[in-house]
Amino acid sequence: MGMNIAIDGPAGAGKSTIAKRAAKELGFLYVDTGAMYRTIALSLLRSGTDCEDEAALAGELDRMQIGMEYKDGEQRMLLNGENVTGLIRTEEVSRMASFSSAKPIVREKLLELQRKLARENDVLMDGRDIGTRILPDADLKIFLTASVEARAQRRYLEQTEKGEKCSLEEIKADIEDRDYRDIHRDTAPLIQAEDAVLIDSSDMTIEEVTERIVSLAKERA
Ligand code: DC
């Protein structure tokens, strides 16, 4: 078995940007588990499945095929063979993923896929329950967080740079809502693993956080 690094934390703490960079520096496979939940959410939206209808949800999950491939180090998500990587970052998908990922049956579908990737590769996997549930024996666990203000500010800048109109207050409220759902759900709530290293990125640059993770990984190797 290779080396496994788990990075968990709330939305907007910079996890995916940082995890991607750290994985590249370490020569590890970067696994974005949020993208897997987003792919399921996209499929549920397309089929108009009501997540609260357990039988319908189970049937739909059985029918859909979630696949992944790596192209030039970039993770691509496949839904029934279709490359949906560019379609899973919308607000609609984010919202659906936040609800559907709280369903145990949805998490069950991804558990083995995630563990298999970790068994077969040196992985840096990011998500919400990687250190607590998916890879409890990971060699290094990071809990990466940042204040709501810092996360809202970052998302606001990102969206205005893309030319999208948005309100800082709305973004803040949205982050607070999503945090609340992620933290208070019964299944795999977002909590820091006891043996995770806490990094608060509010006043750190992407480079600083990446370096900290890379050096921790080298210490543990
Ligand atoms: O990290 P993200 O925003 O791409 O994640 C999308 C959604 O999936 C978000 O609501 C949290 C959820 N998620 C989860 O429940 N468990 C994970 N391991 C990763 C993401």
Side-chain angles (χ1 to χ4, degrees), residues 31 40 57 176 178 180 189 209 213 218:
V31 181
I40 290 185
L57 180 59
E176 281 168 346
R178 212 162 291 173
Y180 186 89
V209 182
I213 294 172
K218 287 183 176 162

Side-chain angles (χ1 to χ4, degrees), residues 33-34 37-38 89 97-98 101 107 127-130 182 185:
T33 62
Y37 287 99
R38 288 172 179 274
R89 301 284 157 196
S98 173
S101 64
R107 309 201 70 84
R128 302 293 189 283
D129 63 338
I130 310 305
D182 283 354
R185 67 189 181 194

Side-chain angles (χ1 to χ4, degrees), residues 66-200:
I66 306 294
M68 282 174 61
E69 60 181 25
Y70 283 87
K71 180 93 176 156
D72 305 324
E74 291 284 318
Q75 173 181 315
R76 280 189 182 173
M77 291 310 306
L78 305 175
L79 174 60
N80 306 320
E82 174 192 351
N83 177 6
V84 294
T85 316
L87 305 176
I88 57 175
R89 301 284 157 196
T90 64
E91 278 307 305
E92 195 188 13
V93 171
S94 297
R95 208 163 302 123
M96 183 57 153
S98 173
F99 284 105
S100 53
S101 64
K103 302 289 171 202
I105 192 173
V106 170
R107 309 201 70 84
E108 238 9 83
K109 185 172 171 82
L110 296 177
L111 177 85
E112 197 37 47
L113 175 62
Q114 292 167 355
R115 287 197 177 147
K116 186 166 182 281
L117 283 163
R119 271 198 304 275
E120 295 175 352
N121 303 279
D122 285 330
V123 294
L124 194 155
M125 191 176 283
D126 85 7
R128 302 293 189 283
D129 63 338
I130 310 305
T132 49
R133 179 152 184 270
I134 306 295
L135 307 175
D137 298 324
D139 303 278
L140 172 63
K141 298 179 187 177
I142 306 284
F143 194 80
L144 182 61
T145 185
S147 66
V148 172
E149 286 71 23
R151 289 186 280 144
Q153 192 67 42
R154 285 176 195 161
R155 175 128 49 101
Y156 178 78
L157 280 177
E158 241 172 55
Q159 286 182 250
T160 42
E161 270 168 21
K162 277 195 272 178
E164 286 170 24
K165 271 216 177 115
C166 57
S167 121
L168 188 59
E169 281 314 303
E170 271 174 30
I171 290 177
K172 219 175 121 184
D174 186 56
I175 288 178
E176 281 168 346
D177 276 359
R178 212 162 291 173
D179 278 0
Y180 186 89
R181 280 201 296 276
D182 283 354
I183 292 166
H184 292 89
R185 67 189 181 194
D186 294 333
T187 316
L190 173 66
I191 42 164
Q192 183 181 344
E194 267 179 29
D195 50 351
V197 178
L198 175 68
I199 301 180
D200 182 331

